[in-house]
Amino acid sequence: MTAGQVRDRRFRSVRRGLDPAEVHAFLHRVAGELAAARRDLVTVTEENARIKRALRSWQARFAPGVRR
């Protein structure tokens, strides 16, 4: 599910139920947090790949007995 899907979700109106403004505000908050979590995941994934490359490079230079 994407942040846009959460933000744009609509529900049918009922006579008794939750305040539509509160639901809308909550959906926007959840969408913002979901978008931030996805950005963080991309950053961490890129950093993980960078660290793995650096480790392989270090191993190739300083640990010649290590096979990949």
Side-chain angles (χ1 to χ4, degrees), residues 13-28:
S13 297
V14 294
R15 276 162 60 93
R16 299 179 69 179
L18 302 173
D19 178 6
E22 275 188 62
V23 171
H24 187 69
F26 178 77
L27 290 176
H28 274 272

Side-chain angles (χ1 to χ4, degrees), residues 36-55:
R38 287 189 178 208
R39 284 190 304 272
D40 290 346
L41 178 59
V42 168
T43 300
V44 168
T45 300
E46 290 169 351
E47 180 70 2
N48 186 39
R50 185 192 67 74
I51 290 169
K52 284 181 178 181
R53 284 191 305 273
L55 177 59

Side-chain angles (χ1 to χ4, degrees), residues 1-10 27-28 30-32 34-35 38:
M1 178 170 277
T2 67
Q5 289 172 316
V6 171
R7 191 176 292 111
D8 296 337
R9 181 69 169 107
R10 298 291 177 252
L27 290 176
H28 274 272
V30 169
L34 179 59
R38 287 189 178 208

